[in-house]
Coordinates of all heavy atoms in Angstrom, one line a residue:
Chain B
A300 N 128.6 151.3 77.7 CA 129.1 150.1 78.2 C 129.1 149.9 79.7 O 129.2 150.9 80.4 CB 130.6 149.9 77.7
A301 N 128.9 148.7 80.1 CA 129.1 148.5 81.6 C 129.7 147.0 81.8 O 129.2 146.1 81.1 CB 127.7 148.5 82.2
D302 N 130.8 146.9 82.5 CA 131.4 145.6 82.7 C 131.8 145.0 81.3 O 132.5 145.6 80.5 CB 130.6 144.7 83.6 CG 130.3 145.3 84.9 OD1 131.2 146.1 85.3 OD2 129.2 145.2 85.4
D303 N 131.1 143.9 81.0 CA 131.5 143.2 79.8 C 130.3 143.2 78.8 O 130.2 142.4 77.9 CB 131.8 141.7 80.0 CG 130.7 141.0 80.7 OD1 129.7 141.6 81.1 OD2 130.8 139.8 80.9
V304 N 129.4 144.2 78.9 CA 128.3 144.4 78.0 C 128.2 145.7 77.4 O 128.4 146.8 78.1 CB 127.0 144.1 78.8 CG1 125.7 144.4 77.9 CG2 126.8 142.8 79.4
V305 N 128.1 145.7 76.1 CA 127.8 146.9 75.3 C 126.4 147.1 75.0 O 125.8 146.1 74.6 CB 128.7 147.0 74.0 CG1 128.4 148.2 73.1 CG2 130.2 146.9 74.3
V322 N 132.3 144.5 68.1 CA 133.1 145.3 69.1 C 134.6 145.1 68.8 O 135.0 143.9 68.8 CB 132.6 144.9 70.5 CG1 133.5 145.7 71.5 CG2 131.2 145.1 70.7
T324 N 138.9 146.4 69.0 CA 140.0 147.3 69.2 C 140.9 147.2 68.1 O 141.6 146.2 67.9 CB 140.8 147.0 70.5 OG1 141.1 145.7 70.5 CG2 139.8 147.3 71.7
L329 N 136.5 141.7 69.1 CA 136.2 141.2 70.5 C 134.9 140.4 70.5 O 134.7 139.4 71.3 CB 136.2 142.2 71.5 CG 137.6 143.1 71.6 CD1 137.4 144.3 72.5 CD2 138.7 142.4 72.0
A330 N 133.9 140.9 69.7 CA 132.6 140.2 69.8 C 131.9 140.7 68.5 O 132.1 141.7 68.0 CB 131.8 140.7 71.0
V344 N 125.3 143.5 73.7 CA 126.4 142.6 73.1 C 127.3 142.3 74.2 O 128.0 143.2 74.7 CB 127.1 143.2 71.9 CG1 128.1 142.3 71.3 CG2 126.1 143.7 70.9
K345 N 127.5 141.0 74.5 CA 128.4 140.7 75.6 C 129.8 140.4 75.0 O 130.0 139.9 73.9 CB 127.9 139.3 76.2 CG 128.6 138.9 77.4 CD 127.9 137.8 78.1 CE 128.6 137.2 79.3 NZ 128.8 138.1 80.3
V346 N 130.7 141.1 75.7 CA 132.1 141.0 75.2 C 132.9 140.1 76.3 O 133.2 140.7 77.3 CB 132.7 142.4 75.1 CG1 134.2 142.2 74.7 CG2 131.9 143.3 74.3
P347 N 133.1 138.9 76.0 CA 133.9 138.0 76.9 C 135.3 138.7 77.3 O 135.9 139.1 76.5 CB 134.1 136.7 76.1 CG 133.1 136.8 75.0 CD 132.9 138.2 74.7
G348 N 135.5 138.7 78.6 CA 136.8 139.3 79.0 C 136.8 140.7 79.2 O 137.8 141.4 79.6
G349 N 135.6 141.4 79.0 CA 135.4 142.9 79.3 C 135.8 143.7 78.2 O 136.3 143.2 77.1
I350 N 135.6 145.0 78.3 CA 135.7 146.0 77.3 C 136.9 146.9 77.5 O 136.8 147.7 78.5 CB 134.4 146.9 77.1 CG1 133.2 145.9 76.9 CG2 134.5 147.8 76.0 CD1 131.9 146.5 77.3
P351 N 138.0 146.8 76.7 CA 139.1 147.6 77.0 C 139.0 149.1 76.6 O 138.0 149.4 75.8 CB 140.2 146.9 76.1 CG 139.4 146.3 75.0 CD 138.1 145.9 75.6
E352 N 139.8 149.9 77.1 CA 139.7 151.3 76.7 C 140.0 151.4 75.2 O 140.8 150.6 74.7 CB 140.9 152.1 77.4 CG 140.6 152.4 79.0 CD 139.4 153.2 79.1 OE1 139.1 154.1 78.3 OE2 138.6 153.0 80.1
A354 N 137.9 150.8 72.8 CA 137.1 149.8 72.1 C 136.2 150.7 71.2 O 135.7 151.8 71.6 CB 136.4 148.8 72.9
I370 N 133.5 153.7 72.2 CA 132.7 153.6 73.4 C 133.3 154.6 74.4 O 134.4 154.4 75.0 CB 132.8 152.2 74.0 CG1 132.2 151.2 72.9 CG2 132.0 152.1 75.3 CD1 132.5 149.7 73.3
R373 N 130.4 155.3 79.9 CA 130.0 154.0 80.4 C 129.0 154.4 81.6 O 129.0 155.4 82.2 CB 131.3 153.4 81.1 CG 132.2 153.0 80.1 CD 133.6 152.7 80.5 NE 134.5 152.4 79.4 CZ 134.7 151.2 79.0 NH1 134.2 150.1 79.6 NH2 135.6 151.0 78.1

Side-chain angles (χ1 to χ4, degrees):
Chain B
D302 302 328
D303 60 351
V304 172
V305 175
V322 180
T324 52
L329 306 172
V344 181
K345 190 170 174 61
V346 182
I350 302 158
E352 287 297 324
I370 301 169
R373 293 164 184 270

